[in-house]
Amino acid sequence: MSRLDAWPFAALPAFPAERYSALGERIGRILGAEEHDVVLVPGEAIVALEAAAREAGASRRRFLNVATSVYGRLFGDWLADAGGEVTTVSPAVAGQPIAIDEVRAALSGGSFDAISFVHGEAATGIVNPIDDILAEARGLGLVAIVDAVASVGAEPLVLGEDGPDIVVVGPQKGLRGPAGVSAVAINTRGWALLARPPRRATLSSLSLLDIRRDWLDSDRAVIPGTPAPHELWALDAALDAIGHEGIDGVVARHRLAARAARSGARALGIATWTGDDERSSGLTTGVLLPQDVDRTRVIALAQALFGVTLAVGPEGVDPRLVRIRHTAAEAGFEPVLAVVAALGGALVAAGADVDVAAGAAAVVSVYAEARHDDAHDD
């Protein structure tokens, strides 16, 4: 037997067109996207984000772009590069959620056709106030474009009549799916905003309009392009799992994990990055290490002593920021308890004065209370 024959994906069957069509419909049901089309984009979510930004920017409309991370800044750059007139607003403190008053002030300072923003930021562990931003957008008749890659499955997100018009989804985070395929949900207002960039080839793999033409507006007998079948089968399996748990259950599990992680961190004796639990991510929790602690050493100790991976915050934010993950399979009691205990243990090993037992007890308490409430409801 050759090494290729032994590889389990060597004989993977092609993904059938009828099942491909169902993938978009299933993602639409997760999002409550009754008025949106859902197109699959072959590639990691950054590809779908760039596709949306460039075709929106080619409309040469006026955009208010809310930038709370590198992804928000990139989206604005793509909009402008394609011809959009872009005004950027960022929070007063880098890496913190945008305040709705900051958005209102920016909107009052100009005339806009659309607003774009990131919903959840896994890089800093924050969530932007989507309901408030959408309410402002609706009041002004703006098209709303939302990067939901790090929020779908971890935060409440229902498109509906008052929801965003264009939403980019990546299944690799809260939905526990593959990274090599993404999706964009687009309603009539969203489609009307998109335009073909000048001097572009008539066929582009980086085009939502081409995908619409070659899939949504076709007989759907042939999948457009050549998407990797293992990514589609993996997405199919992830959606099966979501169907069994229910999207509300997935979101609740992530929100519970976030609450436990934040409670545990505070009981250790360290501060969380954002003090507002409503503005904290269901995927990651940002914490601030004590001033006199070497962040690099703490991260190395957590890995070496406990096999737990911690991550630094992005460039430009407080250098004490460390992120702990509670994403997908890690959004559960044992993983959250382990990461909080490992963070505490690494801090102790680095010479910090923290209470590891109190941190672990806080995690246990949050989960015990939640399970007691569930039993009482039953």
Side-chain angles (χ1 to χ4, degrees):
M1 178 182 293
S2 71
R3 294 179 67 183
L4 181 62
D5 291 335
W7 190 47
F9 295 120
L12 194 68
F15 200 83
E18 62 273 15
R19 205 174 184 108
Y20 185 84
S21 184
L23 289 178
E25 295 169 1
R26 295 167 74 188
I27 292 172
R29 286 195 293 273
I30 286 173
L31 296 172
E34 295 180 359
E35 299 180 3
H36 293 66
D37 297 313
V38 177
V39 296
L40 298 181
V41 177
E44 200 267 336
I46 198 72
V47 177
L49 287 167
E50 184 174 354
R54 291 194 178 277
E55 289 187 324
S59 68
R60 301 191 178 275
R61 306 286 183 86
R62 297 158 298 181
F63 298 84
L64 179 65
N65 182 56
V66 179
T68 50
S69 71
V70 63
Y71 296 105
R73 291 190 292 274
L74 270 175
F75 200 87
D77 290 344
W78 290 324
L79 285 170
D81 186 58
E85 182 181 325
V86 181
T87 299
T88 299
V89 59
S90 297
V93 178
Q96 287 288 350
I98 195 75
I100 191 58
D101 287 345
E102 293 173 308
V103 176
R104 289 191 185 113
L107 287 171
S108 67
S111 178
F112 301 98
D113 301 297
I115 186 169
S116 54
F117 62 97
V118 178
H119 184 195
E121 299 279 17
T124 50
I126 63 97
V127 178
N128 285 311
I130 185 170
D131 292 339
D132 292 337
I133 296 174
L134 290 176
E136 294 295 319
R138 287 290 167 260
L140 296 171
L142 307 184
V143 175
I145 308 171
V146 174
D147 172 352
V149 174
S151 62
V152 65
E155 324 295 341
L157 177 65
V158 179
L159 303 195
E161 184 178 350
D162 295 325
D165 303 291
I166 300 175
V167 180
V168 179
V169 173
Q172 76 271 26
K173 296 184 183 293
L175 299 183
R176 201 178 176 181
V181 60
S182 48
V184 186
I186 312 171
N187 65 11
T188 301
R189 284 163 47 88
W191 284 120
L193 180 74
L194 303 183
R196 295 187 180 279
R199 299 182 302 278
R200 199 196 68 198
T202 57
L203 178 64
S204 171
S205 58
L206 194 67
S207 170
L208 303 177
L209 292 170
D210 283 356
I211 295 174
R212 179 185 186 181
R213 179 195 63 203
D214 297 337
W215 179 250
L216 294 181
D217 295 341
S218 73
D219 60 6
R220 306 193 188 188
V222 178
I223 297 174
T226 313
H230 64 282
E231 297 284 352
L232 298 178
W233 285 114
L235 177 58
D236 191 58
L239 293 176
D240 282 345
I242 297 295
H244 289 304
E245 186 174 2
I247 188 61
D248 290 343
V250 175
V251 171
R253 177 164 54 82
H254 280 92
R255 298 307 306 168
L256 176 60
R259 190 162 75 249
R262 291 168 64 80
S263 180
R266 289 167 177 158
L268 286 174
I270 59 178
T272 53
W273 173 236
T274 173
D276 184 351
D277 286 357
E278 292 299 315
R279 299 274 69 84
S280 64
S281 168
L283 296 181
T284 62
T285 291
V287 299
L288 288 173
L289 301 187
Q291 288 279 8
D292 56 348
V293 172
D294 183 334
R295 182 174 69 172
T296 300
R297 187 177 179 215
V298 169
I299 291 173
L301 285 168
Q303 181 65 53
L305 297 178
F306 307 105
V308 169
T309 301
L310 304 174
V312 300
E315 185 177 354
V317 303
D318 194 313
R320 296 175 296 155
L321 178 61
V322 166
R323 292 178 291 136
I324 57 179
R325 281 172 48 93
H326 34 79
T327 305
E330 296 168 308
F333 170 64
E334 290 85 357
V336 173
L337 179 61
V339 74
V340 169
L343 172 61
L347 283 166
V348 169
D353 182 16
V354 297
D355 191 336
V356 181
V363 173
V364 172
S365 178
V366 169
Y367 274 96
E369 181 180 354
R371 290 175 181 177
H372 176 270
D373 291 344
D374 289 343
H376 182 74
D377 290 342
D378 291 341

